[in-house]
Amino acid sequence: MLFKVAILAALISSVAGHMAMSEPCPRFSPNCANKPPLPAGVSDYDYSIKSPVPYDGPLMKSDIPWPESATTWTAGQPATVKFQPGGAAHGGGHCQFSISYDNGKTAAVVHEVLQHCFFSGASGGNGADVFEYTFPLPATMPSSDNALLIWTWVNAVGNREFYANSATLKIVGGSGNSYTGKQMTIANHAGYETIPEFSGNYATGMQLYTNAPNITITAPGSSGAGYTGEHVASASTIVEPPSAPAAPTSSAPAYDSATLASPTASATPVPVAPVYHARVAPIPAPPSKCA
């Protein structure tokens, strides 16, 4: 009987999957109410959209240009990203939302939720209580018909994994030709640092995010992309001060879901003495593999 229960639980877990965006609709997702059409030559959607990125596979699943945008965002106005309910949230962890103008070869962070992504505070559970984040899109973000939003996540609890979804955006109303922000952090993937399981210490891996170099991204037709060689906070950052290691059941400072979803919520990351440094993609970057 216990064996049957275990099998049933595994099947339910495999169906539920992990976390995935629902709005804007990510590339190849079969789960959105209003899915953009598939690109020419692509015959089916990705039914493993909630699965982690394979450790030694491409960071994203395809570099095929998408035929149309999933939604339109206006520079200087609040932007909202929603997630599908019912997925395993693995105790939270570190999430970033980044923008790319070269189909994922380079990406700069516009918002991040560090430590307790999908939760309003410390949690060792799988049931998320935050499924939506709203943040200001910088007014200087360049306008483009083919920008790319990339959501990435390093989970706090469980196997050491890296998750990513991407969605094609149309950005309008931008007042600049370029945007400078932190380079998107990659971890738990071949060739990059591994962030260990948090085990109640939600400062785990924070130095990879707070010490990330700046990168300048530009829309097609403009110039100046590259590193600035210094670190500044991203346009919108939610981060808690580092805490000493604690048992998984101990409490930690928390933001409630209303604060996390607020378009004006931001805080300056608290510097952490680096133990090791993030390995970042070299410039020029390799061909993208975004989905």
Side-chain angles (χ1 to χ4, degrees):
M1 180 64 180
L2 290 176
F3 180 70
K4 291 181 179 179
V5 171
I7 292 177
L8 179 60
L11 288 174
I12 292 172
S13 175
S14 65
V15 171
H18 304 274
M19 302 300 293
M21 290 195 310
S22 59
E23 295 182 26
C25 184
R27 291 175 169 184
F28 294 105
S29 174
N31 303 318
C32 305
N34 299 304
K35 297 186 288 290
L38 290 168
V42 177
S43 60
D44 206 354
Y45 292 96
D46 177 11
Y47 293 93
S48 64
I49 193 75
K50 291 186 174 183
S51 297
V53 173
Y55 177 75
D56 57 354
L59 287 170
M60 298 182 203
K61 297 176 182 178
S62 175
D63 57 5
I64 300 173
W66 215 246
E68 64 181 60
S69 62
T71 193
T72 298
W73 282 2
T74 301
Q77 298 298 314
T80 297
V81 178
K82 297 181 180 181
F83 291 85
Q84 299 174 33
H90 292 292
H94 306 317
C95 286
Q96 289 185 322
F97 302 86
S98 305
I99 295 292
S100 173
Y101 290 103
D102 55 11
N103 204 34
K105 294 177 182 178
T106 54
V109 177
V110 292
H111 183 67
E112 54 188 3
V113 183
L114 303 180
Q115 302 187 344
H116 302 313
C117 193
F118 304 121
F119 291 92
S120 52
S123 173
N126 268 339
D129 58 35
V130 178
F131 296 95
E132 180 177 327
Y133 291 103
T134 297
F135 49 88
L137 190 66
T140 57
M141 186 65 62
S143 297
S144 174
D145 290 337
N146 293 289
L148 190 67
L149 167 70
I150 306 172
W151 159 72
T152 53
W153 171 40
V154 170
N155 53 306
V157 176
N159 295 334
R160 308 322 302 142
E161 296 168 331
F162 187 72
Y163 296 82
N165 287 168
S166 58
T168 301
L169 300 176
K170 181 177 182 180
I171 296 177
V172 299
S175 62
N177 292 324
S178 65
Y179 167 75
T180 299
K182 290 196 297 186
Q183 186 181 29
M184 182 179 75
T185 297
I186 300 168
N188 300 347
H189 190 269
Y192 296 87
E193 298 287 350
T194 296
I195 296 177
E197 194 169 14
F198 289 15
S199 299
N201 177 14
Y202 286 86
T204 301
M206 284 282 291
Q207 64 271 28
L208 299 187
Y209 293 83
T210 58
N211 295 334
N214 279 353
I215 188 172
T216 298
I217 55 174
T218 58
S222 55
S223 61
Y227 289 109
T228 65
E230 60 180 343
H231 165 74
V232 297
S234 60
S236 180
T237 303
I238 294 175
V239 59
E240 299 186 31
S243 57
T249 56
S250 65
S251 60
Y255 293 88
D256 59 30
S257 58
T259 301
L260 287 171
S262 169
T264 59
S266 65
T268 302
V270 178
V272 181
V275 177
Y276 49 83
H277 298 283
R279 177 174 175 177
V280 296
I283 299 296
S288 67
K289 294 292 182 182
C290 286

